[in-house]
């Protein structure tokens, strides 16, 4: 059997620790999407319109940011228009959040 060198073990452990720390504080993925059809839109439609999600008067030319999830067939799925509703995951992250921001 081959033994691992201590430096390999230490470097591997540091990589796991770094991933855990950054995953906890990371923001979820953000995409621009139509709030009605859930179609992915170009980012400028959210930036120029100032859409922040949850607006009652939705225009077909203005999008809102959709957090988390993924894009399938040009439509977003598996996430939320509410950033706080999407967990970023990671090791040791609490679901209650850290507050502030």
């Amino acid at each position: 059997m081959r033994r691992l060198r201590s430096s390999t073990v230490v470097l591997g452990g540091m990589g796991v620790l770094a991933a855990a720390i950054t995953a906890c504080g990371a923001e979820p993925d953000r995409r621009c999407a139509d709030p009605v059809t859930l179609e992915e839109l170009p980012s400028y439609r959210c930036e120029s319109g100032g859409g922040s999600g949850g607006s009652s008067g939705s225009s077909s030319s203005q999008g809102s940011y959709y957090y988390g999830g993924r894009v399938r067939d040009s439509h977003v799925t598996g996430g939320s228009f509410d950033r706080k509703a999407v967990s970023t995951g990671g090791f040791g992250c609490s679901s209650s959040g850290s507050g502030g921001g």
Side-chain angles (χ1 to χ4, degrees):
M1 250 182 145
R2 185 177 167 203
R3 296 185 72 201
L4 294 175
R5 291 188 170 146
S6 61
S7 61
T8 304
V9 174
V10 169
L11 289 176
M14 293 299 282
V16 169
L17 180 62
I21 290 171
T22 58
C24 243
E27 290 288 321
D29 290 342
R30 180 174 80 168
R31 298 171 177 86
C32 187
D34 186 302
V36 177
T37 65
L38 298 180
E39 181 180 359
E40 185 180 30
L41 301 173
S43 61
Y44 69 84
R45 289 201 179 169
C46 285
E47 293 166 0
S48 63
S52 60
S55 60
S56 57
S58 60
S59 170
S60 62
S61 64
Q62 183 175 331
S64 296
Y65 284 117
Y66 188 84
Y67 298 93
R70 62 182 171 270
V71 178
R72 181 174 290 175
D73 298 326
S74 298
H75 288 77
V76 293
T77 181
S80 175
F81 285 103
D82 182 9
R83 181 177 54 142
K84 295 178 183 175
V86 179
S87 94
T88 56
F91 298 109
C93 294
S94 66
S95 60
S96 63
S98 60

